[in-house]
């Protein structure tokens, strides 16, 4: 239950700092018999790699993953899967300067207040590189889900003021543009907006959307272990996330009951469906068999070279411009992180649901 | 880790159904030596009581709490505090009819899919009455926080399309109007809106806002146990919540870094503060010493008498009008639930923070 | 994870003090569809009732259980089961005197050191009455196990120096003698020994043994969640238990490998069995399909009227004789507590085992 | 809560197989500001190294630890500490043969039944090498405890039938003889006994004892989180442990109350002590300020070259002699594992105790 461990049944423990020797994760609770190799993980890590386009940091990171345990003869054994990525470039010198003051929008101040000092190199544990462990674990979770036919569509919905037009939604487009938007025109507009931000030494926020298909009904438990509640925690635990919605989200708060309720229909025997999906795939916090839809709001990258007012550790006023090679946008690279955290949470709910009924238990042990 | 247990160190287990014999909660992990009596709890429960105004259900519920353990000579003993409320009116007959079909917007369908059957009386475990246990535990949490000078201001920020005007914000007003809005004019407008909804057999959504003052810096752990992430889970575990924000929330996703970052200033020696509070009181998910601000978006009450399309358990199409005595608005009665869940989460973070540093541990055991 | 909550998936939270208003338990994580009524629970509670023979306390306790939630139309709903027993006789006056000094062998001193004060009435939370919640939950666990054909034989193996003779083992005898021993001759000898102890105002220790039959192989997880490790915790969490063995226990430490290893044999196709059962039903901490055998060592009842040296809360030396109506033996009434804790632990392992393999998961969600 | 994660507040996740690429541990929840370097860990690992004497396996293992995260400028940062040891010699060929049958006394059969297959190389996850992660984490725990003045004395109490004589107890002797016994004469006798076992291709069991000094009173929580219960789980989770005692253990079950109770005395103002220590350092499961004494019973090494009867995976009868280089005794090398698990458990209890009282919380946040 310490800070870097997540999940009840499918449990991950991430570790590592931005400029430490390595970063990684231990996945405990993965079932035996899943085909798994380093390439499965690497594909996911490559989706969060920087240096892929004009809008991401020019740092060159290889982020090459190694599986150290839990896989034997190409299959998971049921024992913990330890995965790590060694850090290649550790230009700590860039960061020596920031050791002594608090960068606005970063965790520098709160880490110092909590722990008395901090690993200031590149944000240490609060760096975006912390998500390497999440994504490696997410790759495992997605592989489990894929074997059950459950799939994800994740993308950037908006960047600053630029939002996708649902009428132009095109899933294939997501991987064609560097901003992971499913709308080519919006992606172009967003690129212009980002160019201006970058030119000004500024950054932009954005919203990531994630759709999960073919989820069985019944996942999540009543009250505190609602699937929706655990997704909220999973998503809001990602650095820079400030908001979360499921289904219509805040729009539902402006709607009337007659608009927001999803009616039921039975189009073929034995298959009850909802007529609409304002709820975003859960009812009472439990998956209802329709598409799960969630949204994560990311704040703008806090590292900007626009001058900002701050103080040194001892309280002297300073004006700073944060140097270094930073993305002007977090949302695009975070798409795979959102998908990973959702997948990990869903796997946990899938396992927990297996002992919800006596008849299932009796069947299993027959 | 089963569904009805929440918290790591300050842990609550709620139980009970809408029309069962009683509802309650066991609070495990409350420190010894806190002055506590039934009246402390009753005050909180009274804030969620229905039948207080034209816009809440005319059901008469006494909801009179009993403390059965964990308090001795007026003080908590460090042992579990068991609290319960016996159900008075159990008009189950009203509900017999709904046993056989799925009410849109309710958990009827998902409970049936998960468990094979359900306690259909008044929603059973998925009823709003489930929050009695949360609020009783929240009263204990708030009492702990009050003894540290930490206080809450919680209210309805919007109902349907009607939002408060920050320029008219008046804390005293919150308890003066039946809708718990801090703006008398907005409350009046909202009342009109609700009257129309009610006349049409319809219902409205709303947004609850909660401000926490005098929170020390340093609460929350990096990565998965961020204070913000746990608040997201706590809030999104409340029935009917579809969205969550901390600080500027989704607005931050439309902002630029230079607008969103909060600078630092040191107005008097030893006291570093933020110039603004876009972050809503956390940085890197850890409390930063400024006001914590969170928002919970509630969907409209799903029980409406507007005709709706649905199906029976066996799939026959039906048009239903949900009868019974229902609030046309969840948000107003849920203010105290939001406050309770936030308080429980903060107490947990307060305890967890006590062993974050070796010097604190050495001091304690000296 | 607070002190009074136990279990990962099948989770119980007990509460209540010896002389408080009531004692009880919330069982969270019980699957839906289990037939359950108050009589199922009462039968278990009756097994721990005092006043049944010459060697148990003459206190008259009704200990009549009420189920307040989680059961609907005779079946569990999947939601928390809250059960309680109101305290009938609360002769607190007997205990006023002990408020000011530390009874040897009791938790008086440690509760005071930990919490600053204590509910001194009858031991408060550290009383044997605390086990009411465990036993009520144990009844539910045993009912789940019974539906899978898993059964228990639990009894007193030794009292003071008197041990049962395996050659005279008779299961039916267990419930025929007041000491729950499966050997009538040993029971008689033990009764004589206890009579002497009682006449001297003294008390006796004893060992409880528990055999679990028809447990499937594969329960328990490697490393920390070994079935044997969780049983050790479950058993050693019972007040007055000072030792634990599985299988040959300490005898195995005196044996050679060639004596202690259990060979394998395959008597009929598909059914591999062990030739012997020195391991007591687990290998590598995982159930091996043979009988599970565990042993719990109870210390003598600490409340004795033999004069003892102690101190007051302020440190003055005192000689005390503990008054009140106390059993001279804990072991006999604790048989059902040992069985309950074992059952709860096994149910947890049964559930956890259901998602150990990908093929089981794929089958379940097919 | 998956199998390889242990601890509530000070949480460890171990990983790795006997013949995989590496083994390691992530320690999550270590406070910031503890001086820590690889040498601190290496010293502990060296205590469990084989190849140190005639009675341990001649395998040469370097077991050289690397700290990959969580330490900055020589101090822990409050973030997860990842440590690993790369496997040097991986003579998997030795083990190919055992892939197809079940070694008596090993987890081969249960892993196969649970997971459908197993990493058969050297026992895979159920190998004694799994304890590398435990010991690395134990080194951190012991360093925390040392800074509070809490110290350990751990040793082998008996080997097969040879037990130490308390009259000859000499702490300095423990590290002087290869069997870690605090009695030179007993060590010599035990060495003879082991030589005979080895000559016969057989092995021996043993008992490890661990004394913890200067533990403050008040550690552990009532009911399920008793310090004694958690120690029982911690110890019984070590492979090959079949029994556990605290204080007088099973002897207490043969004693009378007047013999077993520890009286209290106040020799100097403010310092209450027990006259004796039959309880072994806990009362009601909470530490009482006296020496904590626990005992772990290890079975004999199951890998023996004495011919044994077993079956192949498909059930054919076989007679096997387990080859390979195996210790004839587990207990001696396990001393540091017992100490590590006890230390980890105590650190957890130390942290949990910090929020047991309101006054402590108020003091901390003043």
């Amino acid at each position: 239950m310490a800070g870097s461990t997540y999940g009840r049944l499918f449990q991950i423990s991430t570790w590592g700092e931005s400029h430490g020797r390595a970063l990684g994760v231990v996945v405990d609770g993965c079932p035996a018999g899943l085909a798994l190799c380093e390439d499965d993980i690497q594909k996911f890590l490559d989706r969060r790699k920087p240096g892929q386009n004009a809008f991401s940091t020019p740092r060159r990171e290889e982020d090459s993953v190694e599986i150290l345990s839990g896989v034997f003869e190409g299959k998971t054994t049921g024992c913990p899967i330890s995965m790590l990525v060694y850090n290649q470039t550790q230009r700590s010198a860039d960061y020596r300067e920031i050791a002594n003051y608090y960068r606005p929008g970063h965790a520098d101040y709160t880490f110092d207040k909590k722990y008395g000092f901090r690993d200031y190199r590149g944000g240490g544990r609060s760096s975006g590189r912390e998500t390497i462990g999440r994504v490696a674990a997410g790759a495992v979770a997605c592989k489990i889900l894929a074997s059950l036919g459950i799939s994800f569509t994740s993308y950037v919905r908006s960047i600053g003021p630029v939002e996708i037009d649902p009428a132009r939604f095109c899933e294939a487009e997501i991987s064609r543009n560097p901003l992971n938007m499913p709308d080519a025109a919006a992606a172009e507009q967003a690129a212009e907006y980002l160019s201006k931000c970058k030119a000004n030494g500024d950054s932009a926020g954005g919203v990531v959307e994630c759709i999960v298909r073919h989820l069985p009904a019944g996942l999540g438990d009543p009250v505190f272990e609602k699937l929706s509640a655990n997704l909220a925690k999973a998503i809001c635990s990602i650095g820079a996330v400030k908001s979360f919605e499921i289904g219509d989200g805040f729009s539902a708060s402006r709607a009337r009951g007659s608009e927001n309720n999803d009616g039921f229909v039975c189009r073929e025997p034995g298959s009850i469906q909802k007529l609409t999906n304002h709820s975003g795939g859960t009812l009472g916090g439990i998956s209802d068999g329709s598409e799960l839809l969630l949204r994560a709001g990311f704040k703008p990258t806090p590292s900007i070279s626009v001058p900002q007012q701050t103080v040194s550790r001892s309280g002297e006023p300073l004006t700073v411009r944060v140097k270094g090679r930073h993305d002007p946008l977090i949302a695009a690279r975070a798409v795979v992180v959102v998908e990973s955290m959702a997948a990990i949470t869903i796997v946990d709910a899938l396992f927990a649901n297996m002992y919800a009924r006596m008849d299932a238990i009796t069947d299993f042990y027959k």
Side-chain angles (χ1 to χ4, degrees), chain A:
Chain A
M1 298 280 162
S4 291
T5 304
Y6 176 71
R8 299 177 295 162
L9 312 182
F10 183 79
Q11 194 164 53
I12 73 170
S13 294
T14 72
W15 55 270
E17 290 88 35
S18 176
H19 286 60
R21 293 170 66 178
L23 299 110
V25 64
V26 179
V27 177
D28 195 12
C30 180
L34 180 76
L36 192 75
C37 65
E38 283 166 355
D39 199 48
D40 292 321
I41 313 299
Q42 195 62 52
K43 267 187 257 170
F44 260 64
L45 287 179
D46 289 349
R47 287 173 62 191
R48 69 167 292 292
K49 229 191 331 200
Q52 302 187 98
N53 61 64
F55 308 113
S56 59
T57 157
R59 271 177 290 143
R60 301 240 326 268
E61 297 174 3
E62 286 309 319
D63 290 352
S64 180
V65 75
E66 299 173 41
I67 298 180
L68 299 180
S69 69
V71 177
F72 181 60
E73 298 182 343
K75 288 192 172 171
T76 57
T77 60
C79 295
I81 305 167
S82 176
M83 300 180 278
L84 64 66
V85 163
Y86 279 97
N87 277 322
Q88 302 297 329
T89 57
Q90 301 178 9
R91 298 227 320 232
S92 304
D94 281 4
Y95 296 100
R96 192 70 36 99
E97 181 195 330
I98 64 170
N100 201 38
Y101 66 83
Y102 299 127
R103 291 171 300 164
H106 278 280
D108 300 349
Y109 176 69
T110 51
F111 268 62
D112 256 22
K113 288 294 277 186
K114 185 175 190 75
Y115 297 118
F117 77 119
R118 69 184 197 276
D119 179 348
Y120 51 77
R121 300 164 304 162
R125 183 75 181 138
S126 71
S127 158
R129 279 188 71 68
E130 165 263 312
T131 60
I132 283 177
R134 299 179 187 239
V135 171
V140 180
C142 282
K143 195 128 200 239
I144 293 172
L145 295 177
S147 74
L148 300 171
I150 300 166
S151 64
F152 288 80
T153 305
S154 316
Y155 50 86
V156 172
R157 183 191 172 83
S158 68
I159 290 175
V162 184
E163 194 158 339
I164 59 166
D165 178 346
R168 288 193 303 254
F169 189 101
C170 167
E171 187 159 340
E173 180 60 31
I174 298 169
S175 56
R176 279 204 289 259
N177 69 73
L179 297 172
N180 292 331
M181 292 181 107
D183 168 352
E188 214 168 309
Q189 269 183 278
E192 272 172 58
Y193 177 78
L194 276 179
S195 293
K196 272 184 219 156
C197 287
K198 213 182 164 184
N200 296 331
D202 213 338
S203 64
V207 174
V208 172
E209 204 160 76
C210 179
I211 296 169
V212 193
R213 295 200 173 85
H214 311 303
L215 212 54
L219 306 190
D221 289 298
V223 188
F224 302 116
E225 297 293 331
K226 289 185 166 85
L227 180 58
S228 45
N230 280 323
L231 287 167
K233 172 167 178 169
I235 298 307
C236 292
S237 78
I238 304 171
V241 170
K242 305 298 288 183
S243 53
F244 170 83
E245 291 184 317
I246 188 158
D248 284 4
F250 279 108
S251 299
S253 301
R254 289 183 292 271
R256 287 191 303 277
S258 57
E259 296 164 329
N260 186 66
N261 280 352
D262 302 312
F264 288 100
V265 69
C266 184
R267 296 207 175 92
E268 44 185 317
S271 165
I272 291 170
Q273 289 178 307
K274 296 188 320 186
L275 288 160
T276 49
N277 190 18
H278 297 292
S279 79
T282 65
L283 281 169
I286 298 170
S287 67
D288 63 17
S290 58
E291 282 182 13
L292 189 85
L293 185 141
L294 61 85
R295 231 163 278 118
F298 285 83
K299 70 175 188 181
T301 314
S303 293
I304 54 176
S305 55
V306 176
Q308 298 176 85
Q309 187 175 340
T310 190
V311 294
S312 72
R313 294 188 73 192
S314 50
E316 284 94 56
L318 288 170
T319 298
V320 297
R321 292 160 171 269
V322 178
K323 293 176 208 160
R325 303 146 297 165
H326 302 286
D327 286 341
L329 176 76
I330 292 168
R333 287 181 60 196
V335 168
V336 68
V337 184
V338 168
E339 187 171 313
S340 292
M341 292 307 300
I344 292 164
T345 305
I346 290 167
V347 166
D348 210 276
L350 271 164
F351 295 174
N353 185 49
M354 291 177 72
Y355 50 87
R357 290 164 67 159
M358 269 315 293
D359 51 8
I361 296 165
T362 318
D363 276 5
F364 185 90
Y365 284 106
K366 196 159 52 192

